[in-house]
Amino acid sequence: MGQVYSGQCHCGAVKFEVNTDLQPVVRCNCSLCRRKGALMHRTEQENFTLLKGAENLGCYQFHTHKAEHYFCKTCGIYTHHRPRMNPALVGVNVGCLDGVDSALLPDAELIDGASFD
Ligand SMILES: [Zn+2]
């Protein structure tokens, strides 16, 4: 069933909540994600609530321009994205979640985003 995790960017301008069991945690090797190096978790759009900072979000798009990669315009931190392969999902940056120690999470699954680049 999951629990509610609070998340925020580094400066706190952007805050969100996500209701999830946080499994699985994934990494992606596409040209963007390998630069970000973020641990991510994907869940249904309805489990994600942006609480604050919509106006402070930048959206980066590349290649097919279907995926939407959001980041805080102030601190630059990637908070969440809408994946190209499944726009019904939202991917969140696990590193933005309060109280989650990524070192204690099970090994991340690899998404082979490079093959879709
Ligand atoms: Zn910020």
Side-chain angles (χ1 to χ4, degrees):
M1 275 279 76
Q3 71 180 78
V4 177
Y5 292 90
S6 303
Q8 59 181 313
C9 66
H10 189 261
C11 72
V14 178
K15 290 188 194 290
F16 60 90
E17 274 181 358
V18 59
N19 187 342
T20 177
D21 60 6
L22 211 54
Q23 290 298 325
V25 170
V26 299
R27 284 186 191 280
C28 173
N29 62 358
C30 83
S31 59
L32 179 62
C33 289
R34 70 186 170 83
R35 286 170 167 80
K36 289 193 298 209
L39 277 177
M40 299 173 286
H41 170 67
R42 296 188 296 189
T43 185
E44 285 74 33
Q45 209 59 256
E46 69 221 38
N47 296 330
F48 179 87
T49 310
L50 185 64
L51 299 175
K52 183 185 161 203
E55 72 293 339
N56 213 57
L57 283 173
C59 180
Y60 178 63
Q61 296 190 283
F62 66 105
H63 191 43
T64 64
H65 290 256
K66 290 201 177 108
E68 299 170 0
H69 304 275
Y70 292 100
F71 59 93
C72 173
K73 287 182 188 170
T74 304
C75 64
I77 293 297
Y78 149 67
T79 51
H80 64 291
H81 74 283
R82 200 164 296 194
R84 167 159 71 110
M85 304 304 279
N86 191 344
L89 297 181
V90 60
V92 300
N93 182 351
V94 171
C96 286
L97 302 179
D98 293 339
V100 175
D101 183 349
S102 59
L104 299 179
L105 292 171
D107 284 344
E109 290 177 17
L110 181 69
I111 296 176
D112 188 17
S115 60
F116 311 120
D117 260 3

